[in-house]
Structures are given as C-alpha cells and as structure tokens.
Amino acid sequence: MNLILCPTDFSKNATNAVRYAAALAEGISARVIIIHIYDKPVMFSNAPLTRIAHAEEQIKANAEAQMVKLVNQLKRKYKNVSFETMARDGFHAETLLKVAQKLTVDLIVMGSTGTSKLERLLIGSTTSRIIRDAPCPVLSIPKNAEFKGVNKIVFATDLNEDNMSSASMISIFAKKFDAEISFLF
C-alpha cells in the first residue's frame, strides 16, 4: 500500500480525515495525495465571460493556497510523509472516483460526514457513493476519530471473487501493523 488519496473540503471533519491519513501513511511509508474538488461557478449576469473564467481561476487558486497551508502544518508533525495536492473541478464523487482510478490509488481516506442529514436523505452522501464504487478500499473516518494504530480489521465480504483479491490486499495492510483480521460473511 503506497498511495493514499484523501479528499478535503477544508471542513473540520475533512481536515481530521487528512490528519488521520497522514498518521496512517507514516506507519506504512505511503504517499498522500490531498485533493479538493470544487464546483465551477454558475453565474447569471450581464458580466463578460472573462469575469466568470477569472472566478473559476480564483476558486482554484484559493483551494491550492489552503492545501499548501494544510500540507505545511502536516509536514511539521509527519516529517517522513510525502504529500501532493491537486484541485479539480467537477462533481465530487464522480471526479474523485475518476482520479482514484487514473492514479491507481491503494486507499481512499475520507471523512464520514460533510453534508446535512436532509441532503444525505435526498441525494445520498459522497462517502457512501465512494465506498460503493471505489476501485480500492475506502476508510471512512468518523468526526472526532484519532489515529492510534491499527489493531483489528473487520472485512465484510459476500465471498465473490473480487472481494477475495481485496482480502489479500487487506492482509498485506494488516501485516504492516501486526493487526488481526476478522471476516464477516
């Protein structure tokens, strides 16, 4: 397990998940890519299109600046972790899944909350979509979780062949932490 992808919207929950990913990466000598996915601005006005283009550039520049600040904070504590950042426009889940596929990431670490209960009820959460459709394991970090190592892993499976290949990857991960794996059928 060499590459961890960690999305952020710069919320408290997402920042906690990034810290968790950094601590995890330190334990397994992995790289962390922090990604911020933003929506293109939609504006209805008489303003020239160049102003709209500049608005998108400004959104991306602000996101990149926030990620640089975040990485600088992380590097003080996690000196042996390599961090990369990227900012992309698009639909959050769809874009994250495409990036994970393209980069062949080994693990996605993300916060478990970020939208309101009403939004999750109506449209489903980004995290649940990523868990369902990701090309790799996904670690969903609860709001106030702190990384304290990995002692036990529960692996839920329906015993399909694709689950078995994932199980072998999880066993490599577990070995790095000398963790116990329980299989849930």
PDB file of all heavy atoms in Angstrom, residues 1-6 17-34 74 77-84 107 109 139 147 149-150 173 176-177:
ATOM      1  N   MET A   1       0.862  -1.172   0.000  1.00  0.00           N
ATOM      2  CA  MET A   1       0.000   0.000   0.000  1.00  0.00           C
ATOM      3  C   MET A   1       0.906   1.232   0.000  1.00  0.00           C
ATOM      4  O   MET A   1       1.567   1.521   0.983  1.00  0.00           O
ATOM      5  CB  MET A   1      -0.898  -0.034   1.233  1.00  0.00           C
ATOM      6  CG  MET A   1      -1.968   0.981   1.179  1.00  0.00           C
ATOM      7  SD  MET A   1      -3.368   0.668   2.265  1.00  0.00           S
ATOM      8  CE  MET A   1      -4.100  -0.771   1.531  1.00  0.00           C
ATOM      9  N   ASN A   2       0.930   1.908  -1.149  1.00  0.00           N
ATOM     10  CA  ASN A   2       1.875   3.006  -1.323  1.00  0.00           C
ATOM     11  C   ASN A   2       1.248   4.376  -1.514  1.00  0.00           C
ATOM     12  O   ASN A   2       1.908   5.379  -1.325  1.00  0.00           O
ATOM     13  CB  ASN A   2       2.766   2.728  -2.531  1.00  0.00           C
ATOM     14  CG  ASN A   2       3.554   1.462  -2.372  1.00  0.00           C
ATOM     15  OD1 ASN A   2       4.154   1.221  -1.335  1.00  0.00           O
ATOM     16  ND2 ASN A   2       3.528   0.625  -3.388  1.00  0.00           N
ATOM     17  N   LEU A   3      -0.016   4.431  -1.939  1.00  0.00           N
ATOM     18  CA  LEU A   3      -0.618   5.707  -2.303  1.00  0.00           C
ATOM     19  C   LEU A   3      -2.010   5.856  -1.695  1.00  0.00           C
ATOM     20  O   LEU A   3      -2.894   5.041  -1.948  1.00  0.00           O
ATOM     21  CB  LEU A   3      -0.696   5.828  -3.828  1.00  0.00           C
ATOM     22  CG  LEU A   3      -1.170   7.152  -4.397  1.00  0.00           C
ATOM     23  CD1 LEU A   3      -0.285   8.308  -3.934  1.00  0.00           C
ATOM     24  CD2 LEU A   3      -1.192   7.093  -5.915  1.00  0.00           C
ATOM     25  N   ILE A   4      -2.178   6.906  -0.908  1.00  0.00           N
ATOM     26  CA  ILE A   4      -3.449   7.206  -0.244  1.00  0.00           C
ATOM     27  C   ILE A   4      -4.004   8.491  -0.839  1.00  0.00           C
ATOM     28  O   ILE A   4      -3.301   9.500  -0.921  1.00  0.00           O
ATOM     29  CB  ILE A   4      -3.261   7.370   1.276  1.00  0.00           C
ATOM     30  CG1 ILE A   4      -2.733   6.071   1.898  1.00  0.00           C
ATOM     31  CG2 ILE A   4      -4.570   7.800   1.941  1.00  0.00           C
ATOM     32  CD1 ILE A   4      -2.328   6.200   3.357  1.00  0.00           C
ATOM     33  N   LEU A   5      -5.264   8.447  -1.242  1.00  0.00           N
ATOM     34  CA  LEU A   5      -5.959   9.635  -1.750  1.00  0.00           C
ATOM     35  C   LEU A   5      -6.901  10.122  -0.674  1.00  0.00           C
ATOM     36  O   LEU A   5      -7.661   9.344  -0.106  1.00  0.00           O
ATOM     37  CB  LEU A   5      -6.742   9.280  -3.021  1.00  0.00           C
ATOM     38  CG  LEU A   5      -7.495  10.417  -3.717  1.00  0.00           C
ATOM     39  CD1 LEU A   5      -6.525  11.491  -4.203  1.00  0.00           C
ATOM     40  CD2 LEU A   5      -8.310   9.869  -4.887  1.00  0.00           C
ATOM     41  N   CYS A   6      -6.843  11.416  -0.389  1.00  0.00           N
ATOM     42  CA  CYS A   6      -7.638  11.970   0.695  1.00  0.00           C
ATOM     43  C   CYS A   6      -8.315  13.263   0.240  1.00  0.00           C
ATOM     44  O   CYS A   6      -7.658  14.295   0.081  1.00  0.00           O
ATOM     45  CB  CYS A   6      -6.732  12.226   1.898  1.00  0.00           C
ATOM     46  SG  CYS A   6      -7.629  12.543   3.408  1.00  0.00           S
ATOM     47  N   ALA A  17      -9.822  13.890   8.798  1.00  0.00           N
ATOM     48  CA  ALA A  17      -9.553  12.716   7.968  1.00  0.00           C
ATOM     49  C   ALA A  17      -8.183  12.824   7.293  1.00  0.00           C
ATOM     50  O   ALA A  17      -7.465  11.829   7.182  1.00  0.00           O
ATOM     51  CB  ALA A  17     -10.655  12.537   6.923  1.00  0.00           C
ATOM     52  N   VAL A  18      -7.791  14.023   6.871  1.00  0.00           N
ATOM     53  CA  VAL A  18      -6.471  14.229   6.265  1.00  0.00           C
ATOM     54  C   VAL A  18      -5.384  13.937   7.301  1.00  0.00           C
ATOM     55  O   VAL A  18      -4.390  13.267   7.000  1.00  0.00           O
ATOM     56  CB  VAL A  18      -6.324  15.656   5.693  1.00  0.00           C
ATOM     57  CG1 VAL A  18      -4.897  15.926   5.265  1.00  0.00           C
ATOM     58  CG2 VAL A  18      -7.276  15.869   4.523  1.00  0.00           C
ATOM     59  N   ARG A  19      -5.564  14.413   8.513  1.00  0.00           N
ATOM     60  CA  ARG A  19      -4.589  14.122   9.584  1.00  0.00           C
ATOM     61  C   ARG A  19      -4.506  12.619   9.848  1.00  0.00           C
ATOM     62  O   ARG A  19      -3.431  12.071  10.066  1.00  0.00           O
ATOM     63  CB  ARG A  19      -4.966  14.870  10.854  1.00  0.00           C
ATOM     64  CG  ARG A  19      -4.690  16.344  10.780  1.00  0.00           C
ATOM     65  CD  ARG A  19      -4.887  17.020  12.150  1.00  0.00           C
ATOM     66  NE  ARG A  19      -4.692  18.437  12.005  1.00  0.00           N
ATOM     67  CZ  ARG A  19      -5.681  19.338  12.010  1.00  0.00           C
ATOM     68  NH1 ARG A  19      -6.921  18.963  12.206  1.00  0.00           N
ATOM     69  NH2 ARG A  19      -5.415  20.610  11.850  1.00  0.00           N
ATOM     70  N   TYR A  20      -5.658  11.964   9.842  1.00  0.00           N
ATOM     71  CA  TYR A  20      -5.705  10.525  10.048  1.00  0.00           C
ATOM     72  C   TYR A  20      -4.930   9.816   8.932  1.00  0.00           C
ATOM     73  O   TYR A  20      -4.133   8.914   9.184  1.00  0.00           O
ATOM     74  CB  TYR A  20      -7.168  10.067  10.064  1.00  0.00           C
ATOM     75  CG  TYR A  20      -7.390   8.706  10.671  1.00  0.00           C
ATOM     76  CD1 TYR A  20      -7.838   8.580  11.980  1.00  0.00           C
ATOM     77  CD2 TYR A  20      -7.180   7.543   9.936  1.00  0.00           C
ATOM     78  CE1 TYR A  20      -8.067   7.331  12.545  1.00  0.00           C
ATOM     79  CE2 TYR A  20      -7.398   6.294  10.485  1.00  0.00           C
ATOM     80  CZ  TYR A  20      -7.839   6.195  11.789  1.00  0.00           C
ATOM     81  OH  TYR A  20      -8.056   4.962  12.342  1.00  0.00           O
ATOM     82  N   ALA A  21      -5.152  10.244   7.693  1.00  0.00           N
ATOM     83  CA  ALA A  21      -4.445   9.660   6.548  1.00  0.00           C
ATOM     84  C   ALA A  21      -2.939   9.861   6.672  1.00  0.00           C
ATOM     85  O   ALA A  21      -2.157   8.964   6.361  1.00  0.00           O
ATOM     86  CB  ALA A  21      -4.958  10.270   5.244  1.00  0.00           C
ATOM     87  N   ALA A  22      -2.526  11.032   7.129  1.00  0.00           N
ATOM     88  CA  ALA A  22      -1.098  11.320   7.294  1.00  0.00           C
ATOM     89  C   ALA A  22      -0.477  10.397   8.345  1.00  0.00           C
ATOM     90  O   ALA A  22       0.616   9.854   8.139  1.00  0.00           O
ATOM     91  CB  ALA A  22      -0.900  12.783   7.682  1.00  0.00           C
ATOM     92  N   ALA A  23      -1.164  10.205   9.456  1.00  0.00           N
ATOM     93  CA  ALA A  23      -0.657   9.320  10.507  1.00  0.00           C
ATOM     94  C   ALA A  23      -0.591   7.882  10.005  1.00  0.00           C
ATOM     95  O   ALA A  23       0.384   7.163  10.265  1.00  0.00           O
ATOM     96  CB  ALA A  23      -1.534   9.416  11.752  1.00  0.00           C
ATOM     97  N   LEU A  24      -1.602   7.474   9.289  1.00  0.00           N
ATOM     98  CA  LEU A  24      -1.623   6.136   8.707  1.00  0.00           C
ATOM     99  C   LEU A  24      -0.474   5.971   7.708  1.00  0.00           C
ATOM    100  O   LEU A  24       0.251   4.971   7.727  1.00  0.00           O
ATOM    101  CB  LEU A  24      -2.966   5.892   8.028  1.00  0.00           C
ATOM    102  CG  LEU A  24      -3.165   4.553   7.339  1.00  0.00           C
ATOM    103  CD1 LEU A  24      -3.135   3.420   8.353  1.00  0.00           C
ATOM    104  CD2 LEU A  24      -4.492   4.550   6.600  1.00  0.00           C
ATOM    105  N   ALA A  25      -0.296   6.955   6.843  1.00  0.00           N
ATOM    106  CA  ALA A  25       0.765   6.916   5.829  1.00  0.00           C
ATOM    107  C   ALA A  25       2.140   6.819   6.476  1.00  0.00           C
ATOM    108  O   ALA A  25       3.022   6.111   5.968  1.00  0.00           O
ATOM    109  CB  ALA A  25       0.685   8.150   4.939  1.00  0.00           C
ATOM    110  N   GLU A  26       2.312   7.499   7.581  1.00  0.00           N
ATOM    111  CA  GLU A  26       3.593   7.445   8.284  1.00  0.00           C
ATOM    112  C   GLU A  26       3.889   6.021   8.754  1.00  0.00           C
ATOM    113  O   GLU A  26       5.022   5.554   8.681  1.00  0.00           O
ATOM    114  CB  GLU A  26       3.581   8.411   9.470  1.00  0.00           C
ATOM    115  CG  GLU A  26       4.927   8.590  10.122  1.00  0.00           C
ATOM    116  CD  GLU A  26       4.905   9.704  11.142  1.00  0.00           C
ATOM    117  OE1 GLU A  26       4.098   9.629  12.091  1.00  0.00           O
ATOM    118  OE2 GLU A  26       5.705  10.644  10.986  1.00  0.00           O
ATOM    119  N   GLY A  27       2.853   5.320   9.198  1.00  0.00           N
ATOM    120  CA  GLY A  27       3.026   3.958   9.692  1.00  0.00           C
ATOM    121  C   GLY A  27       3.324   2.934   8.612  1.00  0.00           C
ATOM    122  O   GLY A  27       3.885   1.878   8.896  1.00  0.00           O
ATOM    123  N   ILE A  28       2.958   3.226   7.367  1.00  0.00           N
ATOM    124  CA  ILE A  28       3.161   2.254   6.285  1.00  0.00           C
ATOM    125  C   ILE A  28       4.039   2.804   5.156  1.00  0.00           C
ATOM    126  O   ILE A  28       4.130   2.195   4.098  1.00  0.00           O
ATOM    127  CB  ILE A  28       1.808   1.761   5.710  1.00  0.00           C
ATOM    128  CG1 ILE A  28       0.985   2.919   5.145  1.00  0.00           C
ATOM    129  CG2 ILE A  28       1.030   0.984   6.754  1.00  0.00           C
ATOM    130  CD1 ILE A  28      -0.285   2.492   4.431  1.00  0.00           C
ATOM    131  N   SER A  29       4.657   3.950   5.385  1.00  0.00           N
ATOM    132  CA  SER A  29       5.539   4.586   4.393  1.00  0.00           C
ATOM    133  C   SER A  29       4.834   4.821   3.055  1.00  0.00           C
ATOM    134  O   SER A  29       5.348   4.471   1.991  1.00  0.00           O
ATOM    135  CB  SER A  29       6.803   3.747   4.177  1.00  0.00           C
ATOM    136  OG  SER A  29       7.496   3.600   5.389  1.00  0.00           O
ATOM    137  N   ALA A  30       3.656   5.400   3.125  1.00  0.00           N
ATOM    138  CA  ALA A  30       2.877   5.692   1.912  1.00  0.00           C
ATOM    139  C   ALA A  30       2.904   7.186   1.608  1.00  0.00           C
ATOM    140  O   ALA A  30       3.184   8.006   2.479  1.00  0.00           O
ATOM    141  CB  ALA A  30       1.432   5.230   2.110  1.00  0.00           C
ATOM    142  N   ARG A  31       2.598   7.518   0.367  1.00  0.00           N
ATOM    143  CA  ARG A  31       2.428   8.914  -0.043  1.00  0.00           C
ATOM    144  C   ARG A  31       0.961   9.277   0.107  1.00  0.00           C
ATOM    145  O   ARG A  31       0.082   8.429  -0.033  1.00  0.00           O
ATOM    146  CB  ARG A  31       2.809   9.115  -1.514  1.00  0.00           C
ATOM    147  CG  ARG A  31       4.263   8.961  -1.815  1.00  0.00           C
ATOM    148  CD  ARG A  31       4.600   9.242  -3.275  1.00  0.00           C
ATOM    149  NE  ARG A  31       3.812   8.415  -4.187  1.00  0.00           N
ATOM    150  CZ  ARG A  31       3.182   8.862  -5.275  1.00  0.00           C
ATOM    151  NH1 ARG A  31       3.236  10.131  -5.616  1.00  0.00           N
ATOM    152  NH2 ARG A  31       2.491   8.047  -6.050  1.00  0.00           N
ATOM    153  N   VAL A  32       0.698  10.568   0.348  1.00  0.00           N
ATOM    154  CA  VAL A  32      -0.672  11.058   0.484  1.00  0.00           C
ATOM    155  C   VAL A  32      -0.914  12.130  -0.570  1.00  0.00           C
ATOM    156  O   VAL A  32      -0.143  13.086  -0.684  1.00  0.00           O
ATOM    157  CB  VAL A  32      -0.934  11.654   1.894  1.00  0.00           C
ATOM    158  CG1 VAL A  32      -2.333  12.247   1.971  1.00  0.00           C
ATOM    159  CG2 VAL A  32      -0.726  10.597   2.969  1.00  0.00           C
ATOM    160  N   ILE A  33      -1.984  11.932  -1.326  1.00  0.00           N
ATOM    161  CA  ILE A  33      -2.430  12.978  -2.251  1.00  0.00           C
ATOM    162  C   ILE A  33      -3.697  13.573  -1.663  1.00  0.00           C
ATOM    163  O   ILE A  33      -4.677  12.867  -1.423  1.00  0.00           O
ATOM    164  CB  ILE A  33      -2.718  12.421  -3.653  1.00  0.00           C
ATOM    165  CG1 ILE A  33      -1.445  11.851  -4.264  1.00  0.00           C
ATOM    166  CG2 ILE A  33      -3.313  13.522  -4.544  1.00  0.00           C
ATOM    167  CD1 ILE A  33      -1.654  11.202  -5.628  1.00  0.00           C
ATOM    168  N   ILE A  34      -3.652  14.869  -1.410  1.00  0.00           N
ATOM    169  CA  ILE A  34      -4.806  15.594  -0.895  1.00  0.00           C
ATOM    170  C   ILE A  34      -5.469  16.271  -2.089  1.00  0.00           C
ATOM    171  O   ILE A  34      -4.817  16.989  -2.836  1.00  0.00           O
ATOM    172  CB  ILE A  34      -4.394  16.634   0.161  1.00  0.00           C
ATOM    173  CG1 ILE A  34      -3.656  15.945   1.315  1.00  0.00           C
ATOM    174  CG2 ILE A  34      -5.614  17.394   0.673  1.00  0.00           C
ATOM    175  CD1 ILE A  34      -2.968  16.908   2.272  1.00  0.00           C
ATOM    176  N   LEU A  74       0.908  19.806   8.274  1.00  0.00           N
ATOM    177  CA  LEU A  74       1.095  18.356   8.380  1.00  0.00           C
ATOM    178  C   LEU A  74       2.572  17.974   8.379  1.00  0.00           C
ATOM    179  O   LEU A  74       2.985  17.076   9.121  1.00  0.00           O
ATOM    180  CB  LEU A  74       0.373  17.641   7.232  1.00  0.00           C
ATOM    181  CG  LEU A  74      -1.148  17.698   7.258  1.00  0.00           C
ATOM    182  CD1 LEU A  74      -1.709  17.238   5.917  1.00  0.00           C
ATOM    183  CD2 LEU A  74      -1.707  16.860   8.391  1.00  0.00           C
ATOM    184  N   LYS A  77       4.458  17.764  11.690  1.00  0.00           N
ATOM    185  CA  LYS A  77       4.235  16.595  12.544  1.00  0.00           C
ATOM    186  C   LYS A  77       4.628  15.289  11.851  1.00  0.00           C
ATOM    187  O   LYS A  77       5.153  14.384  12.482  1.00  0.00           O
ATOM    188  CB  LYS A  77       2.767  16.526  12.968  1.00  0.00           C
ATOM    189  CG  LYS A  77       2.492  15.410  13.936  1.00  0.00           C
ATOM    190  CD  LYS A  77       1.122  15.494  14.537  1.00  0.00           C
ATOM    191  CE  LYS A  77       0.933  14.392  15.559  1.00  0.00           C
ATOM    192  NZ  LYS A  77      -0.380  14.435  16.174  1.00  0.00           N
ATOM    193  N   TYR A  78       4.369  15.187  10.555  1.00  0.00           N
ATOM    194  CA  TYR A  78       4.614  13.957   9.815  1.00  0.00           C
ATOM    195  C   TYR A  78       5.758  14.183   8.828  1.00  0.00           C
ATOM    196  O   TYR A  78       5.557  14.270   7.622  1.00  0.00           O
ATOM    197  CB  TYR A  78       3.333  13.500   9.099  1.00  0.00           C
ATOM    198  CG  TYR A  78       2.168  13.369  10.050  1.00  0.00           C
ATOM    199  CD1 TYR A  78       1.179  14.338  10.117  1.00  0.00           C
ATOM    200  CD2 TYR A  78       2.089  12.286  10.920  1.00  0.00           C
ATOM    201  CE1 TYR A  78       0.123  14.228  11.012  1.00  0.00           C
ATOM    202  CE2 TYR A  78       1.041  12.180  11.827  1.00  0.00           C
ATOM    203  CZ  TYR A  78       0.064  13.148  11.856  1.00  0.00           C
ATOM    204  OH  TYR A  78      -0.967  13.036  12.757  1.00  0.00           O
ATOM    205  N   LYS A  79       6.957  14.267   9.364  1.00  0.00           N
ATOM    206  CA  LYS A  79       8.134  14.639   8.582  1.00  0.00           C
ATOM    207  C   LYS A  79       8.515  13.606   7.521  1.00  0.00           C
ATOM    208  O   LYS A  79       9.131  13.937   6.521  1.00  0.00           O
ATOM    209  CB  LYS A  79       9.314  14.884   9.520  1.00  0.00           C
ATOM    210  CG  LYS A  79       9.129  16.098  10.408  1.00  0.00           C
ATOM    211  CD  LYS A  79      10.244  16.191  11.437  1.00  0.00           C
ATOM    212  CE  LYS A  79      10.199  17.410  12.310  1.00  0.00           C
ATOM    213  NZ  LYS A  79       8.967  17.816  12.847  1.00  0.00           N
ATOM    214  N   ASN A  80       8.153  12.354   7.731  1.00  0.00           N
ATOM    215  CA  ASN A  80       8.547  11.297   6.805  1.00  0.00           C
ATOM    216  C   ASN A  80       7.489  10.970   5.754  1.00  0.00           C
ATOM    217  O   ASN A  80       7.651  10.019   5.004  1.00  0.00           O
ATOM    218  CB  ASN A  80       8.891  10.022   7.590  1.00  0.00           C
ATOM    219  CG  ASN A  80      10.072  10.242   8.506  1.00  0.00           C
ATOM    220  OD1 ASN A  80      11.020  10.941   8.155  1.00  0.00           O
ATOM    221  ND2 ASN A  80      10.014   9.675   9.693  1.00  0.00           N
ATOM    222  N   VAL A  81       6.418  11.757   5.712  1.00  0.00           N
ATOM    223  CA  VAL A  81       5.343  11.502   4.753  1.00  0.00           C
ATOM    224  C   VAL A  81       5.482  12.463   3.576  1.00  0.00           C
ATOM    225  O   VAL A  81       5.703  13.648   3.747  1.00  0.00           O
ATOM    226  CB  VAL A  81       3.954  11.672   5.420  1.00  0.00           C
ATOM    227  CG1 VAL A  81       2.836  11.467   4.401  1.00  0.00           C
ATOM    228  CG2 VAL A  81       3.793  10.701   6.578  1.00  0.00           C
ATOM    229  N   SER A  82       5.330  11.910   2.383  1.00  0.00           N
ATOM    230  CA  SER A  82       5.351  12.706   1.166  1.00  0.00           C
ATOM    231  C   SER A  82       3.912  13.105   0.820  1.00  0.00           C
ATOM    232  O   SER A  82       3.035  12.247   0.723  1.00  0.00           O
ATOM    233  CB  SER A  82       5.959  11.885   0.026  1.00  0.00           C
ATOM    234  OG  SER A  82       5.837  12.575  -1.195  1.00  0.00           O
ATOM    235  N   PHE A  83       3.689  14.411   0.663  1.00  0.00           N
ATOM    236  CA  PHE A  83       2.363  14.929   0.345  1.00  0.00           C
ATOM    237  C   PHE A  83       2.359  15.547  -1.046  1.00  0.00           C
ATOM    238  O   PHE A  83       3.314  16.190  -1.455  1.00  0.00           O
ATOM    239  CB  PHE A  83       1.956  16.023   1.347  1.00  0.00           C
ATOM    240  CG  PHE A  83       1.783  15.540   2.746  1.00  0.00           C
ATOM    241  CD1 PHE A  83       2.809  15.666   3.665  1.00  0.00           C
ATOM    242  CD2 PHE A  83       0.592  14.956   3.157  1.00  0.00           C
ATOM    243  CE1 PHE A  83       2.661  15.228   4.965  1.00  0.00           C
ATOM    244  CE2 PHE A  83       0.430  14.508   4.458  1.00  0.00           C
ATOM    245  CZ  PHE A  83       1.470  14.646   5.368  1.00  0.00           C
ATOM    246  N   GLU A  84       1.258  15.335  -1.743  1.00  0.00           N
ATOM    247  CA  GLU A  84       0.998  16.016  -3.012  1.00  0.00           C
ATOM    248  C   GLU A  84      -0.401  16.598  -2.908  1.00  0.00           C
ATOM    249  O   GLU A  84      -1.218  16.119  -2.117  1.00  0.00           O
ATOM    250  CB  GLU A  84       1.058  15.039  -4.183  1.00  0.00           C
ATOM    251  CG  GLU A  84       2.404  14.388  -4.377  1.00  0.00           C
ATOM    252  CD  GLU A  84       2.358  13.283  -5.418  1.00  0.00           C
ATOM    253  OE1 GLU A  84       1.650  13.455  -6.439  1.00  0.00           O
ATOM    254  OE2 GLU A  84       3.005  12.254  -5.199  1.00  0.00           O
ATOM    255  N   LEU A 107      -5.678   3.281  -1.424  1.00  0.00           N
ATOM    256  CA  LEU A 107      -6.631   3.513  -0.344  1.00  0.00           C
ATOM    257  C   LEU A 107      -7.162   4.933  -0.458  1.00  0.00           C
ATOM    258  O   LEU A 107      -6.408   5.858  -0.773  1.00  0.00           O
ATOM    259  CB  LEU A 107      -5.939   3.328   1.016  1.00  0.00           C
ATOM    260  CG  LEU A 107      -6.753   3.569   2.278  1.00  0.00           C
ATOM    261  CD1 LEU A 107      -7.833   2.495   2.447  1.00  0.00           C
ATOM    262  CD2 LEU A 107      -5.835   3.571   3.504  1.00  0.00           C
ATOM    263  N   VAL A 109      -8.983   7.698   1.971  1.00  0.00           N
ATOM    264  CA  VAL A 109      -9.321   8.030   3.360  1.00  0.00           C
ATOM    265  C   VAL A 109     -10.118   9.321   3.314  1.00  0.00           C
ATOM    266  O   VAL A 109      -9.647  10.331   2.783  1.00  0.00           O
ATOM    267  CB  VAL A 109      -8.058   8.216   4.241  1.00  0.00           C
ATOM    268  CG1 VAL A 109      -8.438   8.622   5.641  1.00  0.00           C
ATOM    269  CG2 VAL A 109      -7.229   6.932   4.257  1.00  0.00           C
ATOM    270  N   LEU A 139     -11.490   4.059   3.615  1.00  0.00           N
ATOM    271  CA  LEU A 139     -11.531   4.182   5.063  1.00  0.00           C
ATOM    272  C   LEU A 139     -12.303   5.454   5.383  1.00  0.00           C
ATOM    273  O   LEU A 139     -11.869   6.556   5.043  1.00  0.00           O
ATOM    274  CB  LEU A 139     -10.106   4.244   5.624  1.00  0.00           C
ATOM    275  CG  LEU A 139      -9.912   4.135   7.115  1.00  0.00           C
ATOM    276  CD1 LEU A 139     -10.558   2.872   7.667  1.00  0.00           C
ATOM    277  CD2 LEU A 139      -8.428   4.132   7.441  1.00  0.00           C
ATOM    278  N   PHE A 147      -6.049   8.726  14.985  1.00  0.00           N
ATOM    279  CA  PHE A 147      -5.297   7.533  14.616  1.00  0.00           C
ATOM    280  C   PHE A 147      -4.484   7.061  15.809  1.00  0.00           C
ATOM    281  O   PHE A 147      -3.697   7.811  16.376  1.00  0.00           O
ATOM    282  CB  PHE A 147      -4.379   7.820  13.429  1.00  0.00           C
ATOM    283  CG  PHE A 147      -3.637   6.603  12.966  1.00  0.00           C
ATOM    284  CD1 PHE A 147      -4.266   5.675  12.168  1.00  0.00           C
ATOM    285  CD2 PHE A 147      -2.326   6.383  13.344  1.00  0.00           C
ATOM    286  CE1 PHE A 147      -3.599   4.542  11.737  1.00  0.00           C
ATOM    287  CE2 PHE A 147      -1.654   5.260  12.921  1.00  0.00           C
ATOM    288  CZ  PHE A 147      -2.285   4.332  12.117  1.00  0.00           C
ATOM    289  N   GLY A 149      -3.094   3.740  15.620  1.00  0.00           N
ATOM    290  CA  GLY A 149      -2.604   2.478  15.094  1.00  0.00           C
ATOM    291  C   GLY A 149      -3.766   1.639  14.589  1.00  0.00           C
ATOM    292  O   GLY A 149      -4.924   2.027  14.674  1.00  0.00           O
ATOM    293  N   VAL A 150      -3.436   0.480  14.048  1.00  0.00           N
ATOM    294  CA  VAL A 150      -4.441  -0.448  13.549  1.00  0.00           C
ATOM    295  C   VAL A 150      -4.227  -1.764  14.280  1.00  0.00           C
ATOM    296  O   VAL A 150      -3.175  -2.383  14.154  1.00  0.00           O
ATOM    297  CB  VAL A 150      -4.312  -0.653  12.018  1.00  0.00           C
ATOM    298  CG1 VAL A 150      -5.324  -1.668  11.523  1.00  0.00           C
ATOM    299  CG2 VAL A 150      -4.461   0.671  11.287  1.00  0.00           C
ATOM    300  N   PHE A 173      -1.864  -5.070   4.258  1.00  0.00           N
ATOM    301  CA  PHE A 173      -2.021  -3.883   5.101  1.00  0.00           C
ATOM    302  C   PHE A 173      -1.981  -4.273   6.580  1.00  0.00           C
ATOM    303  O   PHE A 173      -1.284  -3.658   7.378  1.00  0.00           O
ATOM    304  CB  PHE A 173      -3.340  -3.194   4.740  1.00  0.00           C
ATOM    305  CG  PHE A 173      -3.669  -1.984   5.559  1.00  0.00           C
ATOM    306  CD1 PHE A 173      -3.056  -0.772   5.301  1.00  0.00           C
ATOM    307  CD2 PHE A 173      -4.607  -2.048   6.573  1.00  0.00           C
ATOM    308  CE1 PHE A 173      -3.377   0.359   6.045  1.00  0.00           C
ATOM    309  CE2 PHE A 173      -4.928  -0.937   7.316  1.00  0.00           C
ATOM    310  CZ  PHE A 173      -4.308   0.276   7.053  1.00  0.00           C
ATOM    311  N   LYS A 176       1.460  -5.015   8.091  1.00  0.00           N
ATOM    312  CA  LYS A 176       2.302  -3.851   8.407  1.00  0.00           C
ATOM    313  C   LYS A 176       2.068  -3.338   9.825  1.00  0.00           C
ATOM    314  O   LYS A 176       2.940  -2.769  10.445  1.00  0.00           O
ATOM    315  CB  LYS A 176       2.072  -2.727   7.399  1.00  0.00           C
ATOM    316  CG  LYS A 176       2.615  -3.057   6.033  1.00  0.00           C
ATOM    317  CD  LYS A 176       2.561  -1.864   5.106  1.00  0.00           C
ATOM    318  CE  LYS A 176       3.066  -2.259   3.762  1.00  0.00           C
ATOM    319  NZ  LYS A 176       4.192  -1.485   3.323  1.00  0.00           N
ATOM    320  N   PHE A 177       0.845  -3.551  10.344  1.00  0.00           N
ATOM    321  CA  PHE A 177       0.506  -3.097  11.691  1.00  0.00           C
ATOM    322  C   PHE A 177       0.399  -4.254  12.687  1.00  0.00           C
ATOM    323  O   PHE A 177       0.044  -4.035  13.836  1.00  0.00           O
ATOM    324  CB  PHE A 177      -0.823  -2.333  11.666  1.00  0.00           C
ATOM    325  CG  PHE A 177      -0.720  -0.988  11.020  1.00  0.00           C
ATOM    326  CD1 PHE A 177      -1.095  -0.808   9.697  1.00  0.00           C
ATOM    327  CD2 PHE A 177      -0.230   0.100  11.716  1.00  0.00           C
ATOM    328  CE1 PHE A 177      -0.999   0.434   9.091  1.00  0.00           C
ATOM    329  CE2 PHE A 177      -0.131   1.347  11.121  1.00  0.00           C
ATOM    330  CZ  PHE A 177      -0.514   1.513   9.801  1.00  0.00           C
TER     331      PHE A 177
END
